Amino acid sequence: MFNTTLLDKFQKLETPFYYYDLALLERTLSAIKKEADTHHYHVHYALKANANKEILKLVKAYGLGADCVSGNEVKRAVECGFESSNIVFAGVGKSDAEINYALEKEIFSFNVESLQELDVINELAGKLNKKASIMLRINPNVDAYTHKYITTGLEENKFGINPYEFETVIEKMKSLSNLKLIGLHFHIGSQITDLKPFKNLCVRVTEINQWFLNKGFDFEHINVGGGLGVNYKEPDTEAIVDFTSYFKVFKDFFHLKPGQKLHFELGRAVTAQCGSLVSRVLYIKNGINTNFAILDAGMTELIRPALYQAYHKIENISKLNIAAATKYDVVGPICESSDCFGKAVDLPETQRGDLIAIRTTGAYGEVMASRYNLRDQVKVVYSDTV
Ligand code: LLP
């Protein structure tokens, strides 16, 4: 991803910053579009992964819809040109103000996560003289076999409506005249690299879809969420995820009823590989057992390693063709011991001033940045304007 021309440009820039390779993003979007179109599937990009406006403009240009989890994300999607008819809105705790905004915009669907939320949306829609299109977010109890913080489809998780509540939902729907139930929504977790959990999801969705059909609900839409993982270990060998195999699982294992449309909400697989966090080494501190490379980026710019013990490939891009020589604990400047990007990382002999790239940070990087320690807002550099 990095070459000497780019490095010369980076040398003049203030660090840390997120660098986005927009050409790679476009190739990724084009691969998604091609595969999804083959099957007539609808992909809504999950803004939570990266809601940067430049990125959203490209996502929109490739015809994807938007998947939002807050009123501000719905606003951002609208501002960036996504049509309301292509916006879905999930989340266990939608506030009245957020619901009212989305009702005014007449979004495609609210993904409703609890029985009480049905009542609230119905009431607010009534006051605005609107009919809200909703899908039921179902907790399918399917294990995603991923980190416990990013597993969402198990009974113990707070998300969605459980199967034992279905009868109550059906009963309730009879009196909720301001709601239009258009489908079912699922999402089992994130960073799923083995396709088997998606196959299990398909089997569950087929069963639940049939259960509702037997009760007289012939849904036009099924939304299977996102979750497709990326290769954090080798970002360059697999810069674009194998979308062909991913969509094929749904083609093979979930049989759509005639006229039914299948929706996806991909986030990470769209943007992760196009981003790197670029930082400078401030200090090298050699100890008896541990050498530290102290960067000017920390957990305030990228929290994933501290929060999920997530692995990100770390490269000394000032010494691109030099072999690894020493192990460093690569850490940030924040006053927390968890402010560590990687332990015992093999790097070439590293010096103050070297540029370090933390790879695969285009998803859940910039969006999760904080101002802790009164840090500056993280900067952004794009490949087309650098
Ligand atoms: N749809 C729903 C309802 C979701 O909750 C999520 C992610 C997605 C779609 C998109 O999932 P993706 O395709 O990106 O896996 N901050 C964590 C990830 C949290 C994911 C939350 N939900 C991380 O850095 O790994």
Side-chain angles (χ1 to χ4, degrees):
M1 180 184 249
F2 301 105
N3 54 38
T4 43
T5 327
L6 196 54
L7 272 169
D8 286 346
K9 292 178 180 169
F10 283 0
Q11 297 295 359
K12 299 178 193 106
L13 302 174
E14 222 183 291
T15 47
F17 58 83
Y18 274 98
Y19 171 73
Y20 294 124
D21 180 344
L22 299 182
L24 174 57
L25 176 61
E26 289 209 53
R27 290 201 300 281
T28 309
L29 287 166
S30 152
I32 295 172
K33 190 74 187 131
K34 179 171 159 273
E35 288 303 324
D37 284 355
T38 309
H39 302 294
H40 306 288
Y41 291 161
H42 304 264
V43 180
H44 303 262
Y45 167 66
L47 265 77
K48 64 179 81 63
N50 190 323
N52 180 299
K53 288 184 184 169
E54 295 305 312
I55 287 190
L56 289 182
K57 273 188 216 155
L58 284 178
V59 171
K60 160 80 183 72
Y62 279 79
L64 277 65
D67 162 38
C68 304
V69 284
S70 72
N72 285 341
E73 281 192 358
V74 176
K75 263 187 206 145
R76 175 66 58 90
V78 170
E79 269 165 32
C80 289
F82 289 87
E83 277 125 41
S84 293
S85 57
N86 237 340
I87 297 178
V88 298
F89 182 15
V92 287
K94 302 177 191 77
S95 72
D96 292 15
E98 290 177 314
I99 294 170
N100 279 330
Y101 175 75
L103 282 169
E104 273 157 21
K105 291 290 163 201
E106 301 184 349
I107 61 164
F108 170 58
S109 172
F110 288 86
N111 295 333
V112 178
E113 308 231 10
S114 65
L115 297 178
Q116 194 169 32
E117 193 188 328
L118 288 170
D119 293 322
V120 172
I121 299 181
N122 182 64
E123 190 192 322
L124 295 173
K127 283 187 188 150
L128 291 174
N129 248 326
K130 304 260 185 197
K131 199 156 180 137
S133 286
I134 63 156
M135 294 202 211
L136 301 174
R137 175 166 180 180
I138 308 294
N139 186 334
N141 206 10
V142 170
D143 201 333
Y145 297 104
T146 183
H147 192 286
K148 70 175 189 314
Y149 286 7
I150 51 177
T151 289
T152 49
L154 291 179
E155 215 246 319
E156 68 199 56
N157 301 128
K158 66 181 173 181
F159 303 97
I161 294 171
N162 291 296
Y164 56 78
E165 296 170 304
F166 289 173
E167 295 281 3
T168 318
V169 170
I170 289 178
E171 213 26 58
K172 243 181 181 320
M173 285 309 296
K174 291 181 188 155
S175 62
L176 302 178
S177 57
N178 306 316
L179 301 184
K180 186 175 176 222
L181 180 54
I182 60 169
L184 301 174
H185 171 241
F186 303 81
H187 174 76
I188 55 171
S190 199
Q191 183 52 16
I192 303 166
T193 47
D194 174 2
L195 295 178
K196 191 130 189 292
F198 293 118
K199 187 175 148 189
N200 296 342
L201 173 66
C202 287
V203 173
R204 247 346 243 139
V205 175
T206 305
E207 280 168 16
I208 295 171
N209 190 21
Q210 188 58 47
W211 188 93
F212 276 95
L213 196 61
N214 294 345
K215 298 277 176 182
F217 289 86
D218 193 357
F219 294 126
E220 194 185 341
H221 302 281
I222 300 289
N223 182 339
V224 288
L228 180 60
V230 300
N231 190 338
Y232 281 95
K233 296 262 173 211
E234 295 295 337
D236 295 317
T237 44
E238 207 185 336
I240 298 177
V241 185
D242 178 4
F243 293 108
T244 313
S245 304
Y246 171 68
F247 286 121
K248 192 166 178 301
V249 170
F250 293 88
K251 172 92 187 110
D252 291 347
F253 296 99
F254 178 65
H255 298 287
L256 283 175
K257 306 274 175 206
Q260 244 179 1
K261 298 185 179 77
L262 194 59
H263 299 256
F264 294 81
E265 299 171 342
L266 296 175
R268 190 187 315 263
V270 185
T271 52
Q273 297 295 16
C274 79
S276 290
L277 176 61
V278 178
S279 170
R280 268 195 182 85
V281 177
L282 290 176
Y283 301 100
I284 294 292
K285 190 164 145 180
N286 291 329
I288 298 171
N289 295 315
T290 315
N291 298 326
F292 292 97
I294 303 167
L295 308 186
D296 62 4
M299 63 193 285
T300 39
E301 285 67 48
L302 177 69
I303 201 174
R304 302 194 72 255
L307 191 57
Y308 317 112
Q309 299 75 48
Y311 173 88
H312 285 267
K313 189 169 186 187
I314 300 174
E315 291 175 343
N316 182 333
I317 55 175
S318 295
K319 309 259 162 70
L320 266 182
N321 297 315
I322 302 176
T326 311
K327 288 191 191 304
Y328 294 92
D329 278 17
V330 180
V331 302
I334 307 302
C335 302
E336 299 272 347
S337 294
S338 60
D339 185 27
C340 174
F341 291 120
K343 285 197 171 296
V345 181
D346 284 309
L347 290 177
E349 207 58 55
T350 294
Q351 289 158 340
R352 173 173 163 84
D354 282 356
L355 287 171
I356 301 289
I358 306 179
R359 304 288 309 273
T360 320
T361 49
Y364 306 110
E366 186 191 343
V367 273
M368 292 180 81
S370 80
R371 305 292 301 274
Y372 182 43
N373 287 189
L374 287 186
R375 299 269 293 168
D376 289 336
Q377 171 117 25
V378 64
K379 292 177 273 297
V380 176
V381 172
Y382 304 95
S383 54
D384 60 346
T385 48
V386 60

